[in-house]
Amino acid sequence: MNSDVEELMPKLLPIDPCDPEDVDLSGPPRTPQEYLRQVQLEASLCPDVVVAQIDPKKIKKKQTVNISLTGCQAAPVGFSPSLRWQQQQVSNFSAIRQSINKHRAHWKAQSLDNNVIMPELEDEEGWKKFCLGGNICCNTSPTAGGSEHPGLDYTKIGFPPFLSIVSRLNQATVSAVLEYLINWFEEKEFVPQLGRWLYALLGCLEKPLLPEAHSLIRQLARRCSQVRASLESKEDEKLSALNLMICLVGRYFEQSDLADNE
């Protein structure tokens, strides 16, 4: 070994001097002395300075989690749900989460249709098209290029969050897809496909929340409150879904400062 290294790292165990060419690194050591010689030789072969080869593409865009404490926009008069309604939704949601956890192994074992090809974790555009469909993501007409009675094409209308699909998602995937969809929602309008997937992903999100998930669901509730504040009528079909998202974030996930109060 290098003499400088020996001075900094004094020997703790006696090792008889030997020729490095006599040390066989290709096989397991047969004696304690042989093991120590292999360790010594391997250490001497290590460079003094090592530079990591980092692929920038594998580094996530957002390394810093900023948790905003800004609350939701107040609902227009008559647009917010009653406390009783919120309590009922939380109860239903809790029961669904328990059912998913109980039967996860069963649904995960179910085979998927040949047309269900789940994107890679880092494929943001792929997941948005998978969940929402190409028609919404690409702003194309549902009938564009199709026949008068086209078959059900999930690549165009989006795959529903079947239990056989969401049961296969680990927590890293749940958080990633949730982030992709919420970021899409920041610039787009609320659509039924989005609501179904957000509900399903929240149903799979484990507690206690990680900081990233905590920030995401708060972002979701605030965005829902913004869209709700822009609605012109209490009869708008989006109102119930927006209220539900705010309710689950505020009541079930205990972000009480974002919850609607009567």
Side-chain angles (χ1 to χ4, degrees), residues 193-239:
Q193 293 94 321
L194 176 66
R196 288 191 288 266
W197 268 99
L198 289 175
Y199 190 89
L201 292 170
L202 290 177
C204 297
L205 193 61
E206 293 180 357
K207 296 174 69 176
L209 298 178
L210 295 174
E212 295 85 351
H214 180 273
S215 177
L216 281 173
I217 64 171
R218 291 182 63 86
Q219 179 183 348
L220 171 61
R222 290 194 299 271
R223 174 57 179 160
C224 287
S225 72
Q226 292 173 358
V227 176
R228 181 179 62 180
S230 68
L231 299 181
E232 298 180 354
S233 170
K234 291 186 291 185
E235 305 304 320
D236 193 305
E237 60 183 8
K238 295 190 289 291
L239 178 59

Side-chain angles (χ1 to χ4, degrees), residues 78-83 85-86 228 243-244 247 260-262:
F79 281 56
S80 61
S82 66
L83 179 59
W85 182 90
Q86 295 180 65
R228 181 179 62 180
N243 281 337
L244 178 57
C247 168
D260 288 312
N261 297 310
E262 288 188 301

Side-chain angles (χ1 to χ4, degrees), residues 155-181:
T155 62
K156 293 182 179 179
I157 64 175
F159 286 89
F162 295 125
L163 286 173
S164 56
I165 293 178
V166 298
S167 295
R168 285 173 160 79
L169 306 181
N170 56 31
Q171 284 302 292
T173 306
V174 169
S175 296
V177 178
L178 195 60
E179 179 180 3
Y180 299 154
L181 296 181

Side-chain angles (χ1 to χ4, degrees), residues 1-18 33 36-37 40:
M1 292 182 66
N2 186 291
S3 59
D4 294 338
V5 177
E6 289 184 346
E7 291 179 3
L8 293 174
M9 301 175 61
K11 294 180 180 180
L12 296 179
L13 296 173
I15 304 177
D16 296 333
C18 67
Q33 283 288 334
L36 293 174
R37 292 193 188 102
Q40 187 182 52

Side-chain angles (χ1 to χ4, degrees), residues 53-101:
Q53 300 298 323
I54 300 176
D55 184 358
K57 296 180 180 178
K58 294 184 178 180
I59 300 178
K60 294 188 67 175
K61 298 177 182 177
K62 298 181 179 179
Q63 294 292 317
T64 304
V65 177
N66 296 316
I67 299 178
S68 173
L69 300 179
T70 305
C72 289
Q73 290 190 22
V77 177
F79 281 56
S80 61
S82 66
L83 179 59
R84 182 177 181 181
W85 182 90
Q86 295 180 65
Q87 292 171 338
Q88 183 62 52
Q89 300 310 314
V90 169
S91 176
N92 294 343
F93 183 68
S94 178
I96 289 174
R97 282 173 60 93
Q98 292 177 13
S99 178
I100 292 175
N101 289 330

